[in-house]
Amino acid sequence: MNSLARQVASRARLVQRARFARLYSSDHSTRPPQHAPAATSVGLPDGESATQLDVKGKAKGLPLPYDLPFPDLLEPEPLYDLVDGAEFRPTKQFRHPTKLIVRNDPSLFVVDKEEAALAAKEQEEFDEDNDKDEDEEEESPMNHLALSRREIGNLHIFPLISRRVVQQTGKGKIARQAALVVVGNGNGLVGYGEGKDDETLRAIQKAEIEAIRNMDYVDRFEQRTIWTEMESKMGATRIILRPRPLGFGLHCNPNVHQVLKAAGIKDISAKVWGSRNPLNVIKLLFRMLHAGNAPLAMGDGIGGRGRKLDKGSGVRGKQEIERERGRKLVNLRTR
């Protein structure tokens, strides 16, 4: 950059000398003497006189700077304007050739008011559109999901629970809306999510996003039912699931029906004993369907013996049943 500045400064000095020469040749018919014997007196605008001397005190044959006409800054001057670019050869410090491009766009000298106003208006409209798009993207949490909008539109979405909850604080009670949503693709993927917000619709949207993130695979027999009879208990709620033949349908609790429909299970019977609290029923059912909720043979954390946790071990799949029976399962369906 220092080299470019030096080039610009040297070019400005050359331009100044050229202007001096043009003015002197227009005012004097003869060539200016190289050594003037005496000082040259030049008239000032106010009627005063002054003498231009060089560094050694000798008089020069050139006019003073304020005798020159002031340049018109609204007109382009190629010698005064910044150069478009400069190339620098390799040096010891910089081994590669460098090209520096200096642009003056739009021009500072030639400005069309109508074009400038039109460009400013277009820039404002462009900025407003970008701000709107950014606000929409920030306000839409669906953009952060791994699924596309078409895939999300093909999902089964069931808002099962919507209730009012109250949080007791030192300043009083804070009331909000809570929602529970079940989401599945009808082909083995299912999940549930909970959300809270001041508005019901926003709470449902939060629960839907959480359900999509929590979706997991359910192992199904013949892509329509479970493999074996299952039973589990959580709190005061107890659920029994039994596989049924083809065409039996879903004979079960309404909340269980929606979860199994979202998971793609078509033939099953279920019985809910004890407490039929919808929240406990849905959570217990997902504990039975999703594997890995409570792994088997977990210790107590301090080196003690682990106990077998059958309540939340997940649905029993084909491999586990084959290991227990000691024989391979074969699909006998002909259609």
Side-chain angles (χ1 to χ4, degrees), residues 1-5 7 86-91 96-100:
M1 190 61 187
N2 295 333
S3 301
L4 181 60
Q7 292 181 10
E87 296 183 359
F88 302 96
R89 297 181 179 180
T91 60
H96 302 283
T98 306
K99 184 176 181 180
L100 180 63

Side-chain angles (χ1 to χ4, degrees), residues 8 11-12 15-16 19 71 77-83 109:
V8 174
R11 181 169 293 186
V15 172
Q16 189 70 13
R19 285 181 175 274
E77 179 65 38
L79 296 178
Y80 278 147
D81 292 344
L82 293 178
V83 295
F109 303 101

